């Protein structure tokens, strides 16, 4: 999962994401996780499930 595709996956109904190199290849891992979570939540039909 990357910044380019996570929104599409969330919009399609995905609620579980795997992000290997999108996270571990980032200079700031915490910031990247925040970006991915925000994008997924913004496009999710059930954004509350991302808060667990």
């Amino acid at each position: 999962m990357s910044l380019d595709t996570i929104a599409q996956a969330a919009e399609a109904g995905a609620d579980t994401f795997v992000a290997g190199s999108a996270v571990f290849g980032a200079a700031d891992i915490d910031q990247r996780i925040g970006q991915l979570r925000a994008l997924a939540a913004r496009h999710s039909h059930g954004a509350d499930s991302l808060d667990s």
Side-chain angles (χ1 to χ4, degrees):
M1 203 57 41
S2 70
L3 293 173
D4 297 330
T5 59
I6 196 164
Q8 292 173 323
E11 188 66 35
D15 62 1
T16 303
F17 306 93
V18 176
S21 62
V23 171
F24 296 108
D28 185 333
I29 291 173
D30 291 331
Q31 179 184 28
R32 180 58 52 88
I33 291 170
Q35 290 172 318
L36 290 165
R37 287 178 60 90
L39 283 168
R42 194 172 309 134
H43 295 278
S44 177
H45 297 285
D48 292 340
S49 66
L50 295 173
D51 294 330
S52 56

